[in-house]
Amino acid sequence: MPTSTSPDDRQVPYDLVVVGAGPAGLAGAATAAERGLSVALLDGDARLGGQYYRHPAPGLGAVRPEALHHDWAAFDGLRRRWEASGGVHLPEHHVWTVTAEPAAGVRGAGADGACWAVHAVTGPDGDGARPALVRGRAVLLATGAAERQLPFPGWTLPGVVGAGGAQAMLKSGLVLPGTTGGTRPRIVVAGSGPLLLAVASSLLAAGARVPAVVEAAGFLGYARRPDVLARVPGKWAEALTHGTPLAAHGVRPYLRHAVVRAHGTERVEAVTVARLDRAWRPVPGTERRIACDVLAVGHGLVPRIDLGTSLGCSTRTTEDGATALVVDARQRTSVPGLWSAGETAGVGGARLAMVEGELAGASVAARLRGCTAEGPPARTRSLLRTRSRLRAFAALMAAAHAPRDGWTDWLEDGTEVCRCEEVDTGRVREAVESLGARDARTVKLLTRAGMGWCQGRVCGPAVACLARAAAPTDGAAPVGGTLSERPVPPPPSPERRPLAVPVTLGALAALEETLDPAPDGDRPRTADPA
């Protein structure tokens, strides 16, 4: 491989830069590299796998890390393909923006006449000594999803964690939240969505006591589309894998219930669970108190699309009211030269992400090499059929667990909505009802909700829901209703941000000196596309 580090040489872009090393990004990177493209795979974590296949560092001495994962063999196979492909993995690279550069002065520009500059801050927390710049002819966005949190009184108590966060602690650190003095913590798992079953079974397998799994929506929504369920038997098997140990250990399921309050002084000691009506309003007189040491709560996932919307990619509203990027049959976004795969195009699970990643990698290879064939026709047809089945199930799943607007009835005026800026429900309601705020952006300007460290990633859905009550109707259905699949312009807030992760002024000042971070200048290249 060439090892020149001259200034001109550093201007040569990779064929493909993949942002995110989870199932979608790893599949896309491996597929493109196997087709002869030079590929750089960037991720904020130190190890491959993303959130879904998060696993402990070798130094922790985990004997069987696969025990806490579903379908570990699929990930292990992808990892082996990637390691044999010759691509470059750049760990602990937190991408904060992607910009288009004109082809002039940059050798090997992409087939669409431009080159992409992918800017990142480095280090475990993005606090490395120097920023990084990686150029690419094409970019694949595979940045995954984040948990949706709906606040309630007491949710800021120590011991209240995200459901996915509890699972991440277990997978990456082999730590059960709430463990003290060798005791088995009591962990209530609550919220909505199939992730709850996976989290509860993982915690149970690791030794926790799980007194209850509290599901706000229930599972009857799946019965509306038996045709979709019949086409995904693997999903039934997965649910059985997670549900069987819960039943065996006598874990109490509370369907169509929610945690409406957490109790405690120094940390959470108990939660109040109440039955919900069809609009997710708590039903008076149904409250039940459950003692616990930890509450793991989350109401599904929302796509992480900051990079795509900052570049002007078209978006759509999903069945559960989230916002996802619009992609075509080959995973191309509305912006030429940008592809997207996995949860960024709508939450659907690891298997769907792998399928879409492979389709995207093959599509990029075909585009950059100036040919129409993207791989063996039989393989492509099989992938498209699988994607169609899994996307249909993903839509059904999102609709079944979609939050209803009545959840705001469990809020009190003193309940914090934005924890970073300590903005409570009363201030948000005042902005809407007295000051005329009609959307989340105006609420943000009037109250500072969403201006803190997380930039609205945690409080955004809640603020938007509170603001929507006074927003003028535009024909769109409420969350939980039948939502349009029509692409919509990138929203100004909260999804569209100029910076995807926190960046220091020093990193911005150093942009002129940023260099390609490939070790010793050694990276694979292919010839310019035909």
Side-chain angles (χ1 to χ4, degrees), residues 166-370:
Q167 192 177 49
M169 290 174 65
L170 182 58
K171 287 181 176 181
S172 61
L174 304 180
V175 173
L176 274 175
T179 302
T180 57
T183 61
R184 296 173 57 204
R186 299 165 298 175
I187 305 178
V188 170
V189 179
S192 184
L195 177 64
L196 301 185
L197 293 180
V199 171
S201 63
S202 296
L203 296 174
L204 198 64
R209 292 174 288 172
V210 181
V213 174
V214 185
E215 164 62 56
F219 297 94
L220 291 179
Y222 290 91
R224 300 171 184 168
R225 294 295 306 275
D227 57 321
V228 172
L229 295 179
R231 298 173 65 195
V232 287
K235 293 295 182 180
W236 285 104
E238 187 176 344
L240 190 63
T241 298
H242 295 311
T244 299
L246 299 181
H249 285 79
V251 176
R252 174 77 182 269
Y254 288 85
L255 302 182
R256 301 199 65 83
H257 283 69
V259 170
V260 296
R261 181 182 294 274
H263 307 275
T265 51
E266 298 298 322
R267 59 175 296 110
V268 65
E269 299 169 2
V271 296
T272 292
V273 173
R275 184 169 181 80
L276 304 180
D277 65 15
R278 293 180 61 85
W280 282 32
R281 289 184 294 263
V283 177
T286 63
E287 297 85 357
R288 178 188 298 265
R289 186 168 173 136
I290 303 174
C292 63
D293 305 302
V294 174
L295 170 63
V297 59
H299 289 84
L301 303 172
V302 291
R304 293 185 59 186
I305 58 174
D306 312 63
L307 295 173
T309 53
S310 68
L311 290 164
C313 293
S314 294
T315 62
R316 67 183 181 95
T317 303
T318 63
E319 289 75 8
D320 61 352
T323 305
L325 300 183
V326 172
V327 296
D328 66 9
R330 296 300 184 265
Q331 302 301 135
R332 295 173 295 194
T333 71
S334 61
V335 176
L338 289 179
W339 280 253
S340 171
E343 314 289 53
T344 49
V347 174
R351 174 57 182 158
L352 175 60
M354 292 179 188
V355 169
E356 293 189 342
E358 184 172 344
L359 285 168
S363 175
V364 173
R367 176 62 174 162
L368 293 187
R369 292 189 173 280

Side-chain angles (χ1 to χ4, degrees), residues 23 49-54 68-71 167 171 238 242 349-350:
Q51 295 293 338
Y52 191 89
Y53 288 111
R54 182 184 290 271
L68 294 174
H69 294 82
H70 177 74
D71 202 11
Q167 192 177 49
K171 287 181 176 181
E238 187 176 344
H242 295 311

Side-chain angles (χ1 to χ4, degrees), residues 351 354-356 358-359 362 378-388:
R351 174 57 182 158
M354 292 179 188
V355 169
E356 293 189 342
E358 184 172 344
L359 285 168
R379 176 62 178 171
T380 301
R381 288 195 297 270
S382 175
L383 289 172
L384 291 173
R385 287 194 299 269
T386 301
R387 184 182 63 179
S388 177

Side-chain angles (χ1 to χ4, degrees), residues 349-441:
R351 174 57 182 158
L352 175 60
M354 292 179 188
V355 169
E356 293 189 342
E358 184 172 344
L359 285 168
S363 175
V364 173
R367 176 62 174 162
L368 293 187
R369 292 189 173 280
C371 57
T372 57
E374 298 177 4
R379 176 62 178 171
T380 301
R381 288 195 297 270
S382 175
L383 289 172
L384 291 173
R385 287 194 299 269
T386 301
R387 184 182 63 179
S388 177
R389 291 195 301 269
L390 294 178
R391 271 290 164 212
F393 178 79
L396 177 61
M397 177 179 67
H401 297 281
R404 269 58 173 178
D405 286 345
W407 72 267
T408 58
D409 280 18
W410 67 56
L411 296 176
E412 299 173 350
D413 281 349
T415 304
E416 282 191 3
V417 175
C418 173
R419 296 190 293 186
C420 297
E421 294 294 316
E422 299 182 342
V423 179
D424 61 30
T425 303
R427 287 176 61 191
V428 175
R429 285 174 171 161
E430 180 185 17
V432 172
E433 297 168 4
S434 302
L435 303 180
R438 292 295 182 267
D439 53 47
R441 179 177 176 80

